[in-house]
Amino acid sequence: MTVVGIVPAGGSGERLGADRPKAFVVCAGKPMVEWSVEALSSVCSRVVVAVPPGHEEPPDRVSGSASRSGSVRNALAAAPEATVVVVHDAARPLVTAELVRECLEALDGVDGVIAASPASDTIHVASPDLLVADSPDRSTLWAAQTPQVFQADILRRALAGGDSATDEAALVAAVGGTVRLIEGPSDNIKVTTPTDLRLAEAILRDRC
Ligand code: CTP
Ligand code: MG
């Protein structure tokens, strides 16, 4: 088994609004992406990062793409040796090697395993004119996190399908793959806004 880490870091970070792509914004003393690369490196044989244009450093920092799944596809194309893939957002610097290991251990008899958190808010489906159209039972709803780990072959097949999904679990399930959810820690947040960045920094500093 050859486990390769893939870190999509090719986004611009529009909602964070920093002076550089989000993955390179300093978070608790180092560029945000480095926290994820470090956590994955202790578990994976290699970590390939999909970066924004101008930040490429072959062989392990490759061009991202206009979409997140395109960025994952490009990084995976650079790792043909992978038999198992760990996908983890550069925007989630609070990941731990232990969480990556937990996901890999659960990859037994399924095509994929993702960390996720049970929805704490009630989630409504809105109509185009912002009326409540449907209110799914909250107990069935989970918010996807990363890491998301997959058998490499089915992930390659799933990524050939399209670019609209916001995570790989949806793509793998769409090609008939079985994807198991495990509960990820509530502090494994995604840095999206300036408030998230302050929170992530506070938690990381608290850990040191
Ligand atoms: N990502 C990527 N390639 C893209 C878009 C996103 O590799 N074309 C990565 C981001 O770098 C991030 C992860 O996917 O690590 C999750 O995306 P998100 O939090 O939405 O980051 P951004 O797209 O950069 O932020 P925004 O949507 O606010 O612009
Ligand atoms: Mg985005």
Side-chain angles (χ1 to χ4, degrees), residues 11-184:
S12 61
E14 205 175 309
R15 289 169 288 180
L16 185 62
D19 60 354
R20 65 193 81 179
K22 181 163 72 180
F24 302 112
V25 168
V26 173
C27 180
K30 55 186 159 196
M32 195 182 315
V33 62
E34 301 307 334
W35 291 99
S36 297
V37 171
E38 261 179 39
L40 267 62
S41 292
S42 61
V43 185
C44 302
S45 61
R46 186 181 159 206
V47 179
V48 182
V49 184
V51 293
H55 295 268
E56 297 87 349
E57 280 174 46
D60 288 343
R61 304 238 158 172
V62 304
S63 279
S65 165
S67 70
R68 176 206 153 86
S69 51
S71 293
V72 172
R73 191 187 306 121
N74 288 358
L76 188 52
E81 75 276 24
T83 60
V84 168
V85 180
V86 177
V87 181
H88 182 73
D89 290 335
R92 291 186 191 268
L94 290 138
V95 66
T96 59
E98 187 192 352
L99 179 59
V100 178
R101 272 191 214 101
E102 244 181 82
C103 292
L104 287 169
E105 274 160 22
L107 188 65
D108 180 24
V110 288
D111 298 304
V113 176
I114 70 167
S117 46
S120 53
D121 293 326
T122 296
I123 311 277
H124 299 296
V125 178
S127 67
D129 48 351
L130 292 189
L131 296 173
V132 172
D134 193 16
S135 304
D137 175 1
R138 187 175 64 187
S139 66
T140 67
L141 297 175
W142 289 71
Q145 302 179 353
T146 64
Q148 303 202 348
V149 310
F150 302 97
Q151 308 291 351
D153 284 345
I154 194 161
L155 180 60
R156 289 189 183 98
R157 228 177 331 123
L159 286 165
D163 272 359
S164 59
T166 49
D167 80 350
E168 286 59 55
L171 291 172
V172 168
V175 296
T178 48
V179 182
R180 175 179 287 154
L181 301 158
I182 64 170
E183 186 164 351

